[in-house]
Amino acid sequence: MCGIVGYLGKKNTKEILLEGLKELEYRGYDSAGIAILQENGFNSFKAVGKLVNLEEKTKDFITDTFAAGIGHTRWATHGKPTELNAHPHLGQSSYVVHNGIIENYAKLKKELMREGVVFLSQTDTEVIVHQFEKNLKSSSDAFEAFAKTVKELEGAFAILLVTKDEKNTIFFAKQGSPMLVGINSENEKYFASSDTPLIGHCTEVNYFEDGEYGYVTSDEIVIVDKIGNNRQPVFSKLSQNKLSAQKDGYRFFMEKEIYEQSTVIADTLMGRLGSEEVLFDELDAELFHGINEIKLCACGTSYHSALSATYLFERYSKIKTSVEIASEFRYRNPIMSKDTLFIVISQSGETADTLETLKMAKEAGLKTLVICNVDNSSMVRLADASILTRAGIEKGVASTKAFATQIAVFWMLSLYVAKLRNSLDANEIAKQITLLREVPASLKVTDSMHEKIKRLSKRYLHGHGFFFIGRDIFFPLALEGALKLKEISYLHAEGYPSGEMKHGPIALADPELFTIALLPQHMLYEKSKSNVEELSARDSTICAISPIEFDKADDFIQISTYSDYMLEFFEMMIVLQLLSLEISVRLGNDVDMPRNLAKSVTVE
Ligand code: M6R
């Protein structure tokens, strides 16, 4: 996702900003830019695509005097990844960079436009700089104008702003998005949205808290806290280990990505939930005209989210839905009819098998949609329409947050289609939207949950196999749980529908067969419970995951009580991910780069 850097000092500002942005590259971005204020005024550069493009544009530009500089890598949310939409954004005499989303930007923009302000970009960010310059006219100084502006913004943000009205100063604000300032003995000030760009430059850093804003000059750091009091910076030593900084203190990227899910889902939902309807600005309702069927196609984890989607589309949108494994679909001469919407799902947007099925569907004249995490990927460029999952870059080979965001998008899409098809009454859609708003909370990893799973994992390091079982949408979740375990522990695991065990696999039941049973309260609880009891009676070792105590289990992981099965789904997903992680750690495996696997499978 987006990254921010800032520098105030006498060194080569351009190089420092570009180097800093390089350190944030791993987060993923689609454009980048810098703005530097020196004695003789501003210089600003932006480029779409990789940082080399920005380096090329700035190669003849030299900074060798005192300067205030800000830089940004952008992961498009509002508006396409174009140069005009790239940060920094310019007003009359100020530049701003921003991470997060300004939720009330449309209202502010309308008012500013009414007053004659011309907007150059489609971003929410641009309102910040214009609002600041508007406030400047009625304020005694730039800081007063900045403070007023910050108070007028709603949403999540980390902001840096530089203005000709107060040279030698960088203004900052933080609400919901990370931001820190670093210092060294040379009186320089460095800003960034995470530690890595500061390593090697700073010895000590101050992390800003939500609701804080202020400014820095060479001589001072002024911080106003959320209740309006000035506070002194609190410095802590900056670790000099870059890899660990990228992992934000977690042992593995996979672990970090599991913990991140609550935040990234909030990004996935942001701007897409109205009070009574789901909004996908990127979709034209025309895409669904004449459509009587949905076909989903994907591989691996994305296939599991597609399988989950079949339950949601049929349940809420009341539309016939089927799902296919891409590598199978492409060689079986499938019948494709034009009243079918063909949806491909992919984290990377580059998976060869899935991409090929998209080409086949296009050639057959079907309407196509891609649910993807990477803008500008091959699938996004090829499909008629796309929805980005906004999970941010996923580094662990075992997919976690990409899956969670795909499920959230499918849940929203099923309601979007339900509204178009009039298949769900307005109250039910509103109720579902309220539930969707609760997803980020259901994804929070608690210390007690993680500790419990860590302890329990030591009992599951051997055996002759694992069965992950569930019913309804918990069946694809069981498949996903089994895939996670296989990928990083190298233990044999299968996902199975709970009701299907008695048709064969139950023959394997003995104490060395581990059953991981998903027992949601709000989806076929009694039926699933009977299936687990059948296994327990045959001495299979059972680990049950449920909000309801279950005394037939050898191990029990209790999740929170919710009012709906989808919230149970998300918390159980976290439990399964952590269980695989901890088993893999105990077995001494490479969690982030498991043997024989690649993050993006671009070959058949
Ligand atoms: O990038 P994609 O979502 O298209 O990738 C599909 C699979 O290769 C991927 O989900 C794979 O199964 C992961 N390693 C699962 O953790």
Side-chain angles (χ1 to χ4, degrees):
M1 303 297 267
C2 305
I4 285 184
V5 292
Y7 171 71
L8 189 89
K10 287 194 289 241
K11 291 202 184 127
N12 187 336
T13 309
K14 176 189 89 175
E15 284 308 321
I16 289 171
L17 295 179
L18 290 177
E19 269 173 31
L21 292 179
K22 244 195 163 51
E23 294 296 341
L24 297 174
E25 260 192 318
Y26 74 97
R27 303 170 67 87
Y29 64 103
D30 41 49
S31 57
I34 56 173
I36 295 176
L37 178 60
Q38 298 177 95
E39 197 43 49
N40 56 358
F42 268 116
N43 291 88
S44 160
F45 305 86
K46 300 182 190 190
V48 172
K50 293 290 159 203
L51 278 174
V52 282
N53 301 340
L54 186 61
E55 280 163 3
E56 179 58 29
K57 283 200 165 179
T58 55
K59 70 175 190 291
D60 298 325
F61 169 60
I62 297 164
T63 43
D64 51 9
T65 58
F66 186 90
I70 55 177
H72 190 264
T73 46
R74 173 171 187 258
W75 178 286
T77 53
H78 287 70
K80 293 218 166 299
T82 60
E83 217 165 273
L84 274 182
N85 287 336
H87 302 207
H89 287 286
L90 172 68
Q92 298 289 322
S93 57
S94 323
Y95 274 98
V96 70
V97 291
H98 157 232
N99 284 357
I101 295 191
I102 304 299
E103 285 172 3
N104 61 337
Y105 90 98
K107 188 170 152 249
L108 294 172
K109 184 169 177 174
K110 203 164 150 200
E111 182 61 23
L112 286 162
M113 285 173 74
R114 210 181 48 77
E115 291 165 16
V117 175
V118 177
F119 279 77
L120 298 177
S121 76
Q122 299 157 300
T123 65
D124 51 335
T125 303
E126 198 183 339
V127 296
I128 303 170
V129 71
H130 294 306
Q131 193 69 19
F132 166 74
E133 292 191 342
K134 172 183 163 180
N135 287 332
L136 204 49
K137 292 181 192 142
S138 58
S139 303
S140 54
D141 60 25
F143 185 46
E144 188 184 317
F146 185 72
K148 268 190 206 162
T149 308
V150 171
K151 285 173 197 150
E152 285 162 341
L153 302 177
E154 289 167 17
F157 47 81
I159 296 168
L160 292 184
L161 182 142
V162 276
T163 177
K164 276 189 192 162
D165 283 76
E166 204 77 63
K167 287 186 184 152
N168 311 339
T169 305
I170 298 181
F171 296 93
F172 65 84
K174 181 217 183 296
Q175 175 64 51
S177 281
M179 167 82 85
L180 61 150
V181 64
I183 53 164
N184 58 22
S185 55
E186 295 168 71
N187 253 356
E188 298 170 296
K189 306 286 184 304
Y190 288 78
F191 284 94
S193 49
S194 80
D195 294 358
T196 15
L198 273 52
I199 294 175
H201 294 292
C202 304
T203 43
E204 295 190 306
V205 290
N206 167 85
Y207 295 89
F208 295 114
E209 300 294 333
D210 279 347
E212 291 187 343
Y213 63 91
Y215 62 89
V216 305
T217 64
S218 296
D219 306 322
E220 55 177 347
I221 298 178
V222 172
I223 306 173
V224 180
D225 70 14
K226 66 171 182 234
I227 50 170
N229 295 329
N230 277 48
R231 82 146 169 98
Q232 289 304 309
V234 179
F235 287 106
S236 51
K237 275 221 157 349
L238 180 64
S239 145
Q240 298 298 313
N241 179 335
K242 283 196 181 168
L243 190 64
S244 112
Q246 284 185 353
K247 290 184 196 155
D248 285 349
Y250 293 102
R251 296 166 294 170
F252 308 97
F253 281 109
M254 183 188 175
E255 186 178 34
K256 171 173 176 259
E257 286 156 9
I258 292 172
Y259 272 77
E260 255 172 23
Q261 290 177 111
S262 174
T263 319
V264 298
I265 283 277
D267 287 342
T268 308
L269 303 180
M270 193 130 22
R272 287 170 169 165
L273 299 181
S275 53
E276 284 165 5
E277 62 182 331
V278 169
L279 311 157
F280 279 113
D281 289 347
E282 54 275 73
L283 293 187
D284 187 334
E286 173 58 29
L287 187 70
F288 297 88
H289 278 169
I291 294 299
N292 293 313
E293 191 179 338
I294 291 176
K295 183 168 291 292
L296 301 146
C297 209
C299 302
T301 288
S302 296
Y303 168 74
H304 297 152
S305 78
L307 192 54
S308 310
T310 61
Y311 294 84
L312 298 168
F313 282 130
E314 295 209 337
R315 183 161 293 138
Y316 300 137
S317 325
K318 308 274 188 284
I319 185 163
K320 190 173 161 208
T321 308
S322 59
V323 60
E324 306 260 359
I325 290 179
S327 56
E328 282 298 306
F329 186 77
R330 57 185 291 197
Y331 292 113
R332 67 167 186 75
N333 301 326
I335 295 168
M336 293 195 255
S337 62
K338 292 207 173 120
D339 64 348
T340 301
L341 174 66
F342 194 82
I343 306 183
V344 287
I345 309 94
S346 174
Q347 187 284 128
S348 61
E350 303 296 345
T351 303
D353 286 322
T354 313
L355 183 58
E356 192 50 39
T357 65
L358 177 59
K359 288 181 189 159
M360 284 165 63
K362 288 216 73 158
E363 269 159 34
L366 271 61
K367 290 185 182 174
T368 58
L369 168 68
V370 58
I371 316 282
C372 192
N373 196 35
V374 182
D375 198 6
N376 270 323
S377 57
S378 303
M379 287 183 218
V380 170
R381 280 183 275 121
L382 190 64
D384 297 327
S386 58
I387 300 178
L388 295 179
T389 46
R390 304 180 185 162
I393 198 160
E394 191 177 59
K395 289 203 117 186
V397 166
S399 185
T400 51
K401 59 178 181 166
F403 177 71
T405 54
Q406 287 170 347
I407 299 287
V409 165
F410 277 130
W411 189 1
M412 287 191 282
L413 190 60
S414 67
L415 301 174
Y416 177 90
V417 178
K419 165 116 184 172
L420 289 179
R421 292 170 62 85
N422 232 343
S423 61
L424 218 54
D425 77 44
N427 288 341
E428 183 56 28
I429 295 185
K431 183 186 141 206
Q432 293 287 321
I433 288 174
T434 309
L435 292 169
L436 270 157
R437 293 187 198 281
E438 292 173 36
V439 175
S442 74
L443 286 171
K444 286 229 152 56
V445 184
T446 60
D447 287 350
S448 63
M449 176 206 280
H450 197 160
E451 248 334 288
K452 163 129 203 188
I453 294 170
K454 212 179 255 178
R455 251 185 307 117
L456 194 139
S457 62
K458 63 175 173 289
R459 298 165 62 155
Y460 294 95
L461 308 176
H462 59 291
H464 59 69
F466 286 75
F467 271 93
F468 286 68
I469 60 169
R471 295 184 85 122
D472 199 272
I473 197 169
F474 293 86
F475 162 51
L477 181 59
L479 288 173
E480 176 58 11
L483 179 65
K484 287 288 84 75
L485 187 69
K486 269 189 279 225
E487 285 186 294
I488 59 173
S489 74
Y490 320 141
L491 293 168
H492 180 74
E494 273 188 71
Y496 234 77
S498 308
E500 188 66 11
M501 292 297 283
K502 58 184 172 295
H503 297 291
I506 203 165
L508 291 166
D510 70 17
E512 296 295 286
L513 178 80
F514 300 141
T515 302
I516 313 294
L518 304 180
L519 291 170
Q521 180 179 6
H522 299 291
M523 182 55 72
L524 301 170
Y525 178 77
E526 289 302 331
K527 301 224 173 284
S528 311
K529 193 170 138 220
S530 312
N531 300 142
V532 181
E533 279 165 359
E534 286 154 16
L535 281 154
S536 166
R538 283 153 186 92
D539 238 2
S540 169
T541 299
I542 314 275
C543 173
I545 307 171
S546 180
I548 304 173
E549 293 270 4
F550 181 62
D551 58 8
K552 300 272 175 7
D554 300 274
D555 283 314
F556 179 63
I557 302 174
Q558 187 153 33
I559 62 156
S560 319
T561 304
Y562 297 101
S563 60
D564 187 82
Y565 71 96
M566 283 306 288
L567 299 171
E568 299 181 300
F569 179 101
F570 281 105
E571 189 170 334
M572 285 188 188
M573 178 201 74
I574 294 262
V575 170
L576 296 179
Q577 293 166 344
L578 288 172
L579 185 62
S580 300
L581 173 88
E582 292 306 334
I583 291 176
S584 172
V585 173
R586 282 190 188 271
L587 292 171
N589 297 342
D590 186 339
V591 170
D592 286 330
M593 272 184 276
R595 70 185 184 201
N596 307 336
L597 298 179
K599 183 67 190 160
S600 181
V601 186
T602 51
V603 290
E604 264 199 74

